[in-house]
Amino acid sequence: MYPTEPGQNSSASFEDRVKIVRTQDRSPEVQRTAPALGTGVHGVHGVHVLPTLRIGLQRIRPASPDIAWAVFVGLNLVAMRLLSNWQTVPFLAIWISLTVIYGFRLWRLQPTILTWAAVTLATGGIIWVQVLKGQQDADYLAEVPLISLMFLVMVWHGRRRLAATQERLTAMEQVQRISQENVRLLEQQRQFLQDASHELGTPITVALGHAELIERATVDESVAADARVVTGELARLRRLTNRLLLLASAGTPDFLHVTPVSADALVLDALERWGNTPRRWRLGEVAEATVLGDSDRLVVALDALLENAIAHTEPGDLIEISVGLERGNVVLAVTDSGCGMPPTELDRIFRRFSRAQPYRNREAGGFGLGLPIVQAIAEAHHGSVRVRSASGEGSTFELVIPAVPDALAS
């Protein structure tokens, strides 16, 4: 009994006690449940029982398939014991259900072995008793180790396949990490080239301007000669930074500004720009064709091919420019009658900073970036670049770009 103050009835004292309980227990479960309960003693106990029951149900729920299977096995064991005329039906139902639930649940090895042993002993014990009582043939008892062994073999294969799958997943994760790291490093390299080219551009331009002023203002021939050397080297360095910046930006989304471009106009303009160079220039086949691309980038690519042809020829050698159509592609070709290249050089000339024999020196061979720029521009246009050459027989470089259909071009 709860003590009461003089002058208070037992009902008021009990209500005060319920208020104290509600004030002390601030859990959300109690606050939602207490107003719905009465003021009796059973209502107060319900406040604490409901959360406990709910927590217990939440813990049992993940194991509900295992519990249901255990109940199913128990019923079949009872059927095996009481209904011997059913023969193998409950026995096979137990083992088939064990195989099915293992396929879905994939227990760890120790619970699997314990479950297997328990099912083997239970089914084998019942059959053994039935054999001793003459209710079943002795041959029926041999099915227990056979089916038990089959289940073990299935478990072994399943775990082996699972281990192999985990190894493949681990290997794929490692490959993915390496790929992501390579992408990160390539992005850092590209960003470095862009930043370096931008940072070098301004001081090179300023130094080149001062060197040109010195060359024009000096009256000392030796100083003028030195200024010309500085001017040449600075101009060369500026071309190098521009090409590095172009290669670094080749993979960016804004690398191309695509519009319909007339291929024959590109060739005619290139011949006009380079026609004063002391070579024998010839205009080959010029087919009227249109490509969908960046006019400025295509001009850079064509100029790089012409610069390469000039570097590998001498005054008086022939350089021919042509435009052709081939299976839906436009082919911009530059052919020269220069020294050519051996077949062993053709696989490496599109690598950055590579120079073909015999022009490996920095004066005649350029930077080794012209052909990589051509390849980058061609691939950005979903095209390609190809070469045919032999030592002493000249070379032919072809820039292959998808053509625009006539209806779309017009």
Side-chain angles (χ1 to χ4, degrees):
M1 295 296 293
Y2 288 92
T4 58
E5 293 292 332
Q8 287 184 329
N9 54 32
S10 59
S11 176
S13 301
F14 184 76
E15 290 177 357
D16 293 337
R17 290 195 298 273
V18 173
K19 291 180 179 179
I20 294 173
V21 170
R22 292 178 181 174
T23 302
Q24 291 177 348
D25 192 348
R26 293 293 184 181
S27 67
E29 302 293 343
V30 173
Q31 293 176 3
R32 288 195 297 267
T33 307
L37 300 175
T39 57
V41 177
H42 296 290
V44 176
H45 285 295
V47 172
H48 300 281
V49 171
L50 185 59
T52 305
L53 180 60
R54 186 176 299 176
I55 294 173
L57 291 176
Q58 291 177 353
R59 293 178 178 176
I60 293 174
R61 188 175 301 168
S64 56
D66 300 332
I67 296 174
W69 174 78
V71 173
F72 176 79
V73 170
L75 293 176
N76 280 274
L77 289 174
V78 173
M80 286 182 62
R81 182 69 181 87
L82 300 179
L83 304 174
S84 59
N85 55 344
W86 280 19
Q87 295 183 349
T88 61
V89 174
F91 171 74
L92 293 177
I94 291 174
W95 282 103
I96 291 174
S97 65
L98 176 60
T99 303
V100 171
I101 195 170
Y102 176 78
F104 282 102
R105 304 293 285 176
L106 288 178
W107 299 315
R108 294 189 300 272
L109 183 59
Q110 183 177 2
T112 301
I113 296 300
L114 292 176
T115 304
W116 164 81
V119 173
T120 302
L121 292 177
T123 55
I126 293 175
I127 295 175
W128 175 258
V129 172
Q130 291 175 346
V131 170
L132 291 180
K133 291 182 177 181
Q135 297 175 347
Q136 297 288 349
D137 296 334
D139 295 341
Y140 184 29
L141 188 62
E143 295 183 9
V144 178
L146 291 177
I147 293 183
S148 176
L149 182 60
M150 289 175 61
F151 177 77
L152 282 181
V153 172
M154 185 206 70
V155 171
W156 177 72
H157 277 291
R159 296 190 68 83
R160 185 172 62 87
R161 292 291 299 273
L162 181 62
T165 302
Q166 291 177 346
E167 290 180 359
R168 286 196 295 270
L169 289 176
T170 303
M172 291 175 61
E173 290 176 356
Q174 186 175 2
V175 170
Q176 185 178 9
R177 287 196 299 269
I178 294 175
S179 300
Q180 292 175 349
E181 181 66 17
N182 289 337
V183 170
R184 187 185 65 83
L185 292 176
L186 288 175
E187 179 62 23
Q188 286 184 350
Q189 180 185 16
R190 186 187 65 82
Q191 190 63 40
F192 170 76
L193 289 177
Q194 285 185 336
D195 295 342
S197 299
H198 280 300
E199 294 297 328
L200 289 173
T202 300
I204 290 175
T205 302
V206 173
L208 181 60
H210 282 75
E212 291 174 348
L213 288 176
I214 294 173
E215 181 183 358
R216 290 195 297 266
T218 185
V219 293
D220 191 338
E221 184 58 32
S222 61
V223 174
D226 292 339
R228 282 192 294 272
V229 172
V230 173
T231 301
E233 292 301 315
L234 287 174
R236 177 185 174 83
L237 186 58
R238 184 169 61 179
R239 292 195 302 271
L240 174 60
T241 56
N242 290 336
R243 292 189 175 185
L244 287 175
L245 181 59
L246 178 62
L247 283 174
S249 61
T252 58
D254 58 346
F255 179 64
L256 298 181
H257 299 282
V258 178
T259 57
V261 179
S262 175
D264 49 329
L266 284 177
V267 168
L268 294 175
D269 291 343
L271 187 60
E272 184 178 354
R273 287 194 308 273
W274 293 88
N276 294 327
T277 306
R279 299 291 187 274
R280 286 192 301 117
W281 296 92
R282 185 170 69 187
L283 184 63
E285 176 191 2
V286 180
E288 294 185 1
T290 303
V291 297
L292 200 60
D294 189 314
S295 177
D296 293 335
R297 299 303 189 195
L298 291 174
V299 167
V300 170
L302 192 56
D303 285 349
L305 291 179
L306 293 172
E307 183 181 352
N308 180 76
I310 292 172
H312 288 78
T313 55
E314 300 293 338
D317 288 338
L318 176 66
I319 298 179
E320 178 183 285
I321 313 175
S322 62
V323 181
L325 292 173
E326 178 184 298
R327 295 190 296 273
N329 295 318
V330 175
V331 180
L332 304 175
V334 176
T335 304
D336 67 75
S337 60
C339 61
M341 293 173 288
T344 55
E345 297 287 325
L346 301 182
D347 293 334
R348 56 181 299 276
I349 57 175
F350 292 100
R351 302 174 190 171
R352 297 181 182 183
F353 300 105
S354 294
R355 301 184 182 93
Q357 292 281 10
Y359 294 99
R360 290 182 181 270
N361 61 83
R362 61 188 301 271
E363 287 77 14
F367 305 106
L369 294 176
L371 294 179
I373 287 176
V374 175
Q375 186 178 41
I377 293 175
E379 291 176 351
H381 286 83
H382 306 288
S384 61
V385 59
R386 58 197 185 192
V387 57
R388 299 189 305 272
S389 183
S391 297
E393 299 180 6
S395 304
T396 298
F397 285 86
E398 295 176 337
L399 184 63
V400 183
I401 305 295
V404 177
D406 295 336
L408 183 59
S410 60

